[in-house]
Amino acid sequence: MANQQHLALLKQGVAVWNNSKERNTIVWPDLREANLAGENLSGASLPWANCIKADLRKTNLSQANLGGADLRWANLEEANLEGANLNRADLSQANLSRANLTQVKLVKADLRKTNLSEANLQGADLRWANLGEANLERTNLSQANLQWVNFAKANLSEANLEDADLNQANLTEAKLKGTNFEGANLQGVRGKKILEREKSVLC
């Protein structure tokens, strides 16, 4: 369960949360299993927050700082995370289906078995992120930085990777039926035989 003092302070609004002297004493915000669905948390400072199993459906977290946050099993369906900092965050097995993740920072984030189906990650920075076994079906990854990303056994069926940078990415055993790689940088990609087999590269 969430720390009720942390939750009450956050629900007073982002300005109160970010500027509160009390908040400055909170090293790791405890929002476990918190119900924040539909809340406006745009610009919130929540680095290293514990958000395990939190309900964040349709929550506005644009430009929020969630660097290093623990979001395992959190429900972020249709959430707005545009421009948010999620570097080194743990989002394994979270639900991000249809979420807005444009220009989001997910460097070295853990996204194993995460549901990102139909999410928008246009222009996102996912360098060194782990998306092993993630569901990226019909996800928009156009113009994303995907260098050194692990997509092993991920489902990228009908995903859009147009103009994405996949330098040194791992696509071993990934599902690539109907994936759009038009204009993508595929230098050093592991699993090129799969690409050729699926005839998905549209160069």
Side-chain angles (χ1 to χ4, degrees), residues 47-180:
W48 307 104
N50 184 344
C51 299
I52 293 174
K53 294 184 179 180
D55 187 351
L56 297 161
R57 289 172 296 168
K58 296 185 178 180
T59 301
N60 182 4
L61 287 157
S62 60
Q63 308 299 324
N65 180 9
L66 287 154
D70 192 343
L71 288 146
R72 287 175 292 167
W73 303 291
N75 190 350
L76 290 139
E77 184 177 5
E78 296 185 23
N80 180 12
L81 290 145
E82 182 178 2
N85 173 19
L86 286 154
N87 290 337
R88 299 180 183 273
D90 190 345
L91 291 141
S92 52
Q93 301 189 65
N95 180 13
L96 286 151
S97 59
R98 296 186 296 280
N100 177 12
L101 294 148
T102 54
Q103 304 294 325
V104 74
K105 299 175 183 68
L106 283 159
V107 177
K108 296 185 178 180
D110 189 345
L111 294 147
R112 288 174 294 172
K113 297 184 178 180
T114 299
N115 181 8
L116 287 152
S117 59
E118 299 184 54
N120 185 2
L121 287 109
Q122 184 175 18
D125 188 352
L126 290 103
R127 287 171 295 164
W128 298 287
N130 189 351
L131 286 117
E133 300 183 66
N135 181 9
L136 295 145
E137 190 171 7
R138 294 186 296 278
T139 299
N140 181 12
L141 288 156
S142 60
Q143 300 171 15
N145 190 338
L146 306 173
Q147 295 181 34
W148 298 95
V149 170
N150 177 32
F151 286 111
K153 297 183 179 179
N155 181 5
L156 284 154
S157 300
E158 298 183 43
N160 180 15
L161 284 85
E162 185 175 356
D163 296 324
D165 187 351
L166 287 105
N167 184 29
Q168 305 298 324
N170 181 12
L171 290 166
T172 303
E173 297 185 53
K175 296 179 182 178
L176 301 169
K177 186 175 181 180
T179 308
N180 178 13

